[in-house]
Amino acid sequence: MTSAQPAKRWAALARDTNETKIQLAINLDGGDFPPDTDSKLLAQEANSHASQSSKSQTINISTGIGFLDHMLHALAKHAGWSLILACKGDLHIDDHHTAEDVCLSLGYAFAKALGSASGLARFGHAYAPLDEALSRAVVDLSNRPFAVVELGLRRERIGDLSTEMIPHCMQSFAQAARVTLHVDCLRGDNDHHRAESAFKALAVAIRHATARVAGREGEVPSTKGTLSA
């Protein structure tokens, strides 16, 4: 007798407001996207700087903000996700609505795809370097949204993304995903390197936290017996 295959951890989502129109699909374990993914999203033209396809992952991100695409590409790649995301936002105003709404939407989709934390590691931590920069991330699938992000960024912008939006993106993701995260850049001279090492550390910490633990299937990783709010 073969054991039952674990449930797919995937979700598709559309979020439309007067400020942004977002579509995305995610698979936390890589591979294919859910069957209810919009066919137009799947047909989205590959954006070369934030697109990648391999036997285990498909990533294609287009938000209209190049550096945000770059950071979300790194997040998806090192978290082990397949992720396709498209956003049309009011960039004629500024980058705030697009960056915030994209990361809220990603958090909502993450929570939907993850479902219960039963049988999962729950906690994850990681360090990630990028040349002279080194960042640390700690994640708890707590169902208690909270974020502390200290990156020490000094420039006003990196590409077309305001540096004030980089920690706000992580905070928005934590809020919608209902996770606790702490992300700190410990050292580094280049703000691009500081930000990217932080997203990579967060990605690896998330991958560890969402890992299934053999022999703990169905067990809630909490002394309270629940991770409900």
Side-chain angles (χ1 to χ4, degrees):
M1 179 182 295
T2 58
S3 59
Q5 293 295 312
K8 295 279 192 180
R9 302 194 295 182
W10 59 16
L13 178 148
R15 184 181 190 271
D16 286 1
T17 72
N18 290 334
E19 298 167 345
T20 57
K21 298 186 183 303
I22 298 167
Q23 285 186 306
L24 71 89
I26 189 171
N27 186 331
L28 301 185
D29 301 301
D32 297 333
F33 295 106
D36 59 339
T37 303
D38 191 295
S39 59
K40 293 180 181 178
L41 183 63
L42 293 172
Q44 173 177 282
E45 184 177 353
N47 181 346
S48 60
H49 77 271
S51 301
Q52 189 170 11
S53 182
S54 68
K55 64 180 180 181
S56 64
Q57 288 177 278
T58 299
I59 301 167
N60 189 0
I61 298 164
S62 180
T63 68
I65 304 173
F67 192 70
L68 179 60
D69 293 353
H70 184 44
M71 294 300 95
L72 296 180
H73 183 190
L75 179 66
K77 178 62 180 178
H78 297 290
W81 302 341
S82 281
L83 175 65
I84 186 168
L85 187 153
C87 175
K88 294 189 180 300
D90 55 2
L91 294 176
H92 59 284
I93 296 177
D94 68 6
D95 58 345
H96 185 103
H97 296 147
T98 292
E100 180 179 68
D101 288 1
V102 161
C103 292
L104 285 171
S105 298
L106 182 59
Y108 290 133
F110 172 89
K112 182 179 177 182
L114 186 68
S116 170
S118 297
L120 304 185
R122 175 179 168 179
F123 299 101
H125 71 275
Y127 290 82
L130 179 56
D131 295 346
E132 87 296 346
L134 176 66
S135 292
R136 175 187 61 215
V138 184
V139 171
D140 177 10
L141 306 179
S142 59
N143 205 30
R144 297 162 63 93
F146 201 87
V148 178
V149 183
E150 298 287 349
L151 304 184
L153 302 174
R154 296 177 291 273
R155 290 164 56 180
E156 183 177 352
R157 307 181 72 83
I158 305 176
D160 292 327
L161 183 63
S162 306
T163 52
E164 68 179 3
M165 290 308 301
I166 295 172
H168 187 62
C169 281
M170 293 184 176
Q171 293 158 357
S172 298
F173 172 80
Q175 175 187 335
R178 301 194 62 81
V179 302
T180 298
L181 61 86
H182 291 250
V183 183
D184 298 275
C185 184
L186 305 178
R187 64 175 65 95
D189 300 319
N190 182 289
D191 275 1
H192 184 133
H193 291 174
R194 293 177 74 94
E196 187 169 347
S197 69
F199 271 92
K200 287 178 176 178
L202 178 59
V204 178
I206 289 173
R207 193 177 76 226
H208 291 168
T210 57
R212 294 182 171 102
V213 180
R216 296 185 182 176
E217 295 82 1
E219 294 184 11
V220 178
S222 171
T223 56
K224 293 190 295 185
T226 179
L227 285 172
S228 60

